[in-house]
Amino acid sequence: MFSKACEYGIKAAIFIAVNSSENNRVSPKEISEEIDSPQAFTAKILQALVRNHVIKSVRGAYGGFEIEKDKIATTKLSEIVYAIDGDGIYKGCGLGLHTCNENHPCPVHDKFKVVREELREMLENTSLEQLALDIKAGVSFLKI
C-alpha cells in the first residue's frame, strides 16, 4: 500500500521519536542502519520530512535529526504519509486503473473503498508517541 520511501519514512520517524523522547539526536547514518535503507535514499526521505515539518534537522557537531517532545504526541502517521506519498493512497484505485470512481467502478471499488477509509482512520488516529512507546516497551520492533 505504501511506497518504499513511505515505509522508510514511517520507520525513520518512529526511530527519531524514540531517540528524541530520550533527548538524543540521531545521524542519517544511524537512521539508515536502523531501518535498513540506503543512506542516500534515507537522506532524501529525511529532507522531505524536514520540509513538511515532521522532523527537525540540527546542524553542527552535536547535530542530527530530532522531533520536539511535545510534537511526538501530536504527530500522526497521516502527516508522514502525506509528506512522502501525498494523498494518493486515499484516492487510488485498488487495481491501479486510471479511471475508477463511483460512476465507473473497478471490480473491487466498493470493497477497496472500505479498506481505504479504515486505513485513513488508522493513519489519522495513530501518533508517533504510541508507536515509540511500543518500541521502548519491547512490544514492537523496527528491526529483526
Side-chain angles (χ1 to χ4, degrees):
M1 289 210 103
F2 301 118
S3 69
K4 197 54 134 173
C6 192
E7 290 175 11
Y8 288 145
I10 292 169
K11 291 192 276 186
I14 295 168
F15 179 65
I16 295 167
V18 168
N19 282 277
S20 293
S21 69
E22 298 170 353
N23 297 317
N24 297 321
R25 292 185 184 125
V26 287
S27 71
K29 183 179 181 194
E30 290 173 297
I31 296 166
S32 67
E33 287 174 359
E34 179 64 26
I35 67 172
D36 286 327
S37 171
Q39 200 166 344
F41 191 40
T42 303
K44 289 182 180 186
I45 294 164
L46 294 172
Q47 288 171 357
L49 294 175
V50 168
R51 267 193 314 274
N52 285 274
H53 310 288
V54 174
I55 63 174
K56 186 175 160 188
S57 174
V58 178
R59 295 181 186 259
Y62 300 103
F65 292 92
E66 67 182 9
I67 302 172
E68 295 168 8
K69 279 190 178 183
D70 60 328
K71 195 168 184 209
I72 295 171
T74 61
T75 300
K76 304 295 184 192
L77 285 183
S78 58
E79 295 174 59
I80 299 162
V81 172
Y82 184 78
I84 307 294
D85 282 351
D87 62 355
I89 196 165
Y90 305 123
K91 298 177 180 179
C93 172
L95 296 178
L97 300 178
H98 294 289
T99 304
C100 177
N101 54 43
E102 297 296 323
N103 298 326
H104 192 75
C106 76
V108 297
H109 181 78
D110 292 331
K111 292 183 187 309
F112 195 70
K113 190 167 125 179
V114 172
V115 171
R116 261 196 322 257
E117 283 306 311
E118 288 177 1
L119 178 62
R120 178 192 301 270
E121 185 176 316
M122 184 273 294
L123 293 173
E124 290 177 353
N125 291 305
T126 304
S127 71
L128 279 179
E129 181 180 56
Q130 292 168 287
L131 302 174
L133 288 173
D134 284 350
I135 298 275
K136 288 171 81 170
V139 174
S140 61
F141 306 90
L142 282 176
K143 192 174 183 180
I144 294 180

